[in-house]
Amino acid sequence: MMTKHNSIEARLERFPRAHLMTAETPVERMERMSELLDIDLWIKRDDLTGLGLGGNKTRQLEFYMGEAVANGADTVLITGAVQSNFVRSAAAAAARLGLKSVLQLEERVPDMGRQYYSSGNVLLSKILGAEHISYPLGEDEVGADNALHNRADELRADGHTPYVIHLGIDHPPLGALGYVLGAAELNRQIGNFDVAIVPSGSGATHAGFLTGLRLAGQTAAVYGICVRRDRDQQTARMQTVLNKLAAMMDFDPALTANDILTWDGTLAPGYGIVGPTTREALTLMARTEGVFLDPVYSGKTFAGLLGLLKEDRIQRGQKVVLLHTGGQPALFGYQDELE
Ligand SMILES: *Cc1c(COP(=O)(O)O)cnc(C)c1O
């Protein structure tokens, strides 16, 4: 008889996949933090996905790079924030597979210090040999995509075979497939739990994770902590991403509005800007457990967990899983903001 896990993997078999994950990531119980918060807290360590300093993009890139290789690409192109982990991970994946990479960096975060433009992920992707181009605007998905396509056209005219990693809402969320598998992996590792806390940015991680958990028969509440858009915008976005994912997988997990939980209490002051709640959450985790979170995503996500506890949406004694999506290289880009 096929196990549920096998049937999830079988469902994804028709998507080409580049194997970038070196192993399953650990799920660890946080003993001291559990005691401090009076919950049963576990962390799924997807900061330890391995390739090029890890993070959630490794799982997502298995499917993008799989398609790139299947298409015979020699160059991958991607656009993101200046301290984007996605572009750094894409450059690492490209290096692993022997492809070139073009990274377009968008000015999404205003008034940042010098390190933001030179250290952290920027430094790492230079070491990886990626070509950098910059895009002057931050909230212009269409314009940024067009600019990237112009570079792809130039490469094509020069005889190259480019592959654009599309992250815009109009494209199938291929990367979410990585989190369908990630959720199945977590389910195998720890069985039932009450609440999962995940970051919700593009929504690929959140959508894949929620879909994968439901496919595995898990009924846990999954809160997506908003890191870029407010609750209303993010909930609408999630509906779109979840529908696109269901269409892509040819499977409808029959999610209801009650399944799509978003929370934006720690979004302020805005995307990529470190406010006091994020700074406190990040230092609390480091000083209690020796685990580093990042200033843009996982720090805000843990701050979200603390906020949900305060609002009694998470109850004392509940078994809670925090998805650690990595991003620590950005700590060095935020030196001025964190010191
Ligand atoms: C990109 C990123 C996220 C957000 O993931 P989405 O799939 O875009 O929602 C969260 N955490 C880290 C560290 C990231 O780099």
Side-chain angles (χ1 to χ4, degrees):
M1 205 184 96
M2 246 190 185
T3 63
K4 277 188 173 145
H5 147 232
N6 281 338
S7 75
I8 292 175
E9 305 230 310
R11 215 177 268 289
L12 301 187
E13 240 160 36
R14 65 198 164 85
F15 297 95
R17 188 172 161 201
H19 288 274
L20 303 172
M21 294 288 294
T22 45
E24 292 193 346
T25 61
V27 52
E28 295 180 323
R29 185 163 194 273
M30 298 288 109
E31 302 291 340
R32 277 164 45 76
M33 192 66 87
S34 291
E35 193 167 318
L36 187 72
L37 302 179
D38 200 10
I39 56 175
D40 182 17
L41 179 65
W42 297 73
I43 303 194
K44 175 65 170 161
R45 296 293 306 269
D46 273 10
D47 55 322
L48 303 178
T49 50
L51 180 77
L53 292 187
N56 65 338
K57 300 314 178 327
T58 313
R59 289 192 194 274
Q60 300 192 19
L61 280 162
E62 288 205 320
F63 290 91
Y64 288 108
M65 299 307 280
E67 192 172 79
V69 170
N71 291 358
D74 58 18
T75 309
V76 294
L77 298 92
I78 185 168
T79 187
V82 173
Q83 281 295 336
S84 163
N85 300 299
F86 214 152
V87 307
R88 176 253 310 162
S89 293
R96 172 70 60 90
L97 297 168
L99 312 182
K100 289 197 179 346
S101 55
V102 176
L103 316 179
Q104 176 174 270
L105 305 183
E106 305 164 22
E107 290 284 340
R108 285 190 202 163
V109 188
D111 307 322
M112 296 300 289
R114 191 181 61 87
Q115 284 94 350
Y116 185 79
Y117 297 95
S118 59
S119 187
N121 284 309
V122 178
L123 172 64
L124 295 175
S125 57
K126 280 191 182 152
I127 293 173
L128 287 162
E131 173 187 324
H132 282 183
I133 50 183
S134 71
Y135 190 74
L137 305 175
E139 290 304 330
D140 180 16
E141 256 185 7
V142 175
D145 269 1
N146 289 341
L148 203 59
H149 276 280
N150 291 341
R151 183 71 189 108
D153 289 342
E154 287 172 11
L155 286 165
R156 220 171 272 118
D158 283 344
H160 291 283
T161 309
Y163 174 84
V164 176
I165 298 177
H166 283 292
L167 306 175
I169 190 75
D170 297 334
H171 294 274
L174 257 189
L177 297 174
Y179 268 93
V180 174
L181 294 178
E185 179 182 304
L186 174 68
N187 182 61
R188 282 199 300 281
Q189 289 171 310
I190 64 162
N192 287 333
F193 49 89
D194 300 306
V195 184
I197 308 292
V198 305
S200 199
S202 76
T205 301
H206 184 182
F209 190 85
L210 177 58
T211 301
L213 275 193
R214 293 298 182 263
L215 266 169
Q218 277 265 8
T219 55
V222 177
Y223 276 97
I225 306 301
C226 301
V227 294
R228 184 152 179 211
R229 300 169 190 84
D230 70 25
R231 248 193 92 173
D232 291 345
Q233 285 177 298
Q234 192 64 16
T235 304
R237 188 179 179 98
M238 287 310 300
Q239 247 134 14
T240 306
V241 178
L242 283 160
N243 288 340
K244 281 184 190 282
L245 176 59
M248 215 168 55
M249 289 175 68
D250 200 14
F251 171 80
D252 186 355
L255 298 171
T256 69
N258 291 337
D259 285 303
I260 307 171
L261 303 172
T262 55
W263 196 79
D264 64 2
T266 46
L267 175 60
Y271 174 78
I273 308 175
V274 188
T277 49
T278 302
R279 194 181 300 108
E280 279 159 26
L282 191 148
T283 48
L284 178 68
M285 182 62 86
R287 291 170 194 190
T288 310
E289 294 288 358
V291 170
F292 289 113
L293 301 172
D294 84 281
V296 183
Y297 299 102
S298 51
K300 269 197 177 140
T301 303
F302 180 54
L305 186 156
L306 298 175
L308 289 166
L309 258 177
K310 263 193 203 127
E311 291 186 357
D312 287 327
R313 289 172 203 252
I314 300 173
Q315 260 116 65
R316 309 291 138 182
Q318 281 192 317
K319 185 170 180 181
V320 180
V321 178
L322 174 70
L323 178 65
H324 190 333
T325 48
Q328 294 99 326
L331 284 168
F332 304 101
Y334 281 77
Q335 185 165 350
D336 290 345
E337 289 71 26
L338 291 169
E339 256 176 355

